[in-house]
Amino acid sequence: MEIKIASGAPLEKKTPCLILGVFEGKPKTPLLKDLDRHLGGSLSRAFRDKEFSGKQREKLLLHPSSALAAERILLIGLGKEKGAGAERIRQALGAATGFLQERSLSNFAVDLASLAVRNLTLEALTQHVVEAILLAGYRFLRYRTENPDELPVALSKLAILVAKKNQVKEAGHGATIAQAICRGVYLARDLVNEPGNAKSPDFLARQARSIADETGMKCTILEKPDLEKEQMGALLGVAQGSIREPRLIILEYHGDNNHSRPIALVGKGVVFDAGGISLKPAEKMDEMKMDMAGGAAVLGTLLSAALLSLPVNLVGIIPAVENMPSGSAIRPGDILTSKAGKTIEIINTDAEGRLILADALSYAKRFDPRVVIDLATLTGACIIALGHHATAILGNHEGLIRQLLKAGEQSGERLWQLPLWDDYATQLKSEVADLKNVGGRPAGTITAAAFLQKFAGDFTWAHLDIAGTAWEDKGRPYIPKGASGTGVRLLVQYLR
Ligand code: BES
Ligand code: MN
Ligand code: ZN
């Protein structure tokens, strides 16, 4: 999509559609009064007859005929002005974009002044507006070869309107930031939406390599013999049921010339999770192509960080495997020796994510990271606990958790903390090995994190369980059905 920033009076802008924000109960701003006059009073009649009152996500499409430069005007409700913030803006612009896209309108203009909310700079406001539009306009259409007229139109042109010439630059910055972030989210969504047959661990590795080539990052790919040399018995154990060989993907971004210790981002990369010998039921098994969403978020975050030239050092680590049942698969009762030397009794082969992450966390030690954050679609229990509205966060450092919670609020990718008291670890005790890979039904998300904690050692570490947030069933204003790309916006905000 081509994005331009323009200054001047919004009602003089020639465009197929002009989007104006309206707060609930505020129908008489100077701009709306002016518009009403041009429309011969039809706007005040619409307010009077309660056709439109500015409630959140409410829409009114006007056709001003020749009265104005714009061919159409879309009023979008922002809700009550009190308490409005970044998320309200994203919701509104997401809803507006969906509405216009359904009507095959792909070229529109947005008046920023009508969207101004307290405590948001013009740069931030522009960022949220552009972000919401780009994210709402995303579709995964690679495999739709028939009836092109039934497909949603791709966004073509966006004009961002500011009042004064000297605001163009600041708004331009906001738009550039949004575009860099959305490239990372698009990448993550594309990878997660890609079907399992198209995405082997090697496919993910090649994707990482091409991002590295584009941005000048260092990319290291470990193949099976390398993983054997590294003694990654837990990762290799999960991988041994699939004919597609595992990879460990390592991306390094150097944005800080002072050689500061890096932040390590570790993402679960199970390209398909059938459950292994502890096979999953058929219902919704197709969705388990999304089990590499943590890895996708790590790739997306590194891409965005590089595009934004963020002044930090990062290392992304993605253990990539497929979890399949077969004659060569691991069995319940097997004992694996992890890279850290700890032995693990396999109770359920479907608790595979923690196994590959354990070895990836051990691998991270060589980078001497100052912070380690892992992301994983780790437990169904997380969906039971928090539904689809929050990512679970657990960790061993309250300061890091607080920073991430704040980044969650700011980015709209919200987190909720669960406790990680020592008491939970007793559920992982094994008779025959150092620990077992399942802690029973109670507190499944917490015992999974407690398992990871044993491999996080003395890292400053946080774990994000994105099982409930990585995949969108119904479609939201700026998250279409399918992969959400969750984690990218959160982590870029944290890093910024
Ligand atoms: N990838 C799944 C978790 C998952 C479930 C993610 C639903 C997204 C939606 C994970 O590998 C898994 O199977 N976890 C098991 C663990 C159990 C065997 C202890 C689960 O949650 O059932
Ligand atoms: Mn599983
Ligand atoms: Zn899994």
Side-chain angles (χ1 to χ4, degrees), residues 290-347:
M290 58 87 123
D291 213 19
M292 35 60 75
V298 170
L299 289 182
T301 302
L302 270 101
L303 173 58
S304 295
L307 293 173
L308 290 166
S309 305
L310 295 186
V312 286
N313 293 330
L314 299 174
V315 49
I317 303 175
I318 301 158
V321 302
E322 181 174 43
N323 188 24
M324 293 292 259
S326 80
S328 62
I330 49 167
R331 295 149 283 255
D334 283 5
I335 297 177
L336 302 177
T337 303
S338 64
K339 176 171 175 56
K342 289 186 199 300
T343 56
I344 306 165
E345 182 189 9
I346 304 303
I347 300 300

Side-chain angles (χ1 to χ4, degrees), residues 268 273 275 280 287-288 290-291 323 348 350-354 377-381 383 437-440 467-468:
K268 173 177 175 181
D273 180 11
K280 285 184 181 296
E287 283 182 12
M288 280 303 126
M290 58 87 123
D291 213 19
N323 188 24
N348 188 318
D350 199 9
E352 84 295 342
R354 61 197 77 183
T377 46
L378 204 61
T379 62
I383 308 178
N437 77 329
V438 164

Side-chain angles (χ1 to χ4, degrees), residues 354-435:
R354 61 197 77 183
L355 298 171
I356 66 170
L357 288 169
D359 280 350
L361 286 169
S362 300
Y363 189 84
K365 290 210 171 77
R366 72 192 58 195
F367 297 99
D368 186 27
R370 69 182 144 114
V371 163
V372 178
I373 301 167
D374 79 74
L375 297 94
T377 46
L378 204 61
T379 62
C382 186
I383 308 178
I384 305 301
L386 299 176
H388 300 285
H389 298 286
T391 289
I393 180 168
L394 307 93
N396 61 9
H397 192 281
E398 287 305 316
L400 173 62
I401 291 172
R402 243 188 332 243
Q403 288 178 328
L404 284 163
L405 285 168
K406 184 165 172 220
E409 283 298 327
Q410 292 171 327
S411 64
E413 296 194 327
R414 287 187 296 180
L415 309 174
W416 196 259
Q417 186 182 3
L418 297 178
L420 193 49
W421 300 313
D422 293 344
D423 311 58
Y424 291 103
T426 58
Q427 286 173 236
L428 296 169
K429 286 214 162 101
S430 163
E431 286 294 321
V432 292
D434 295 333
L435 73 169

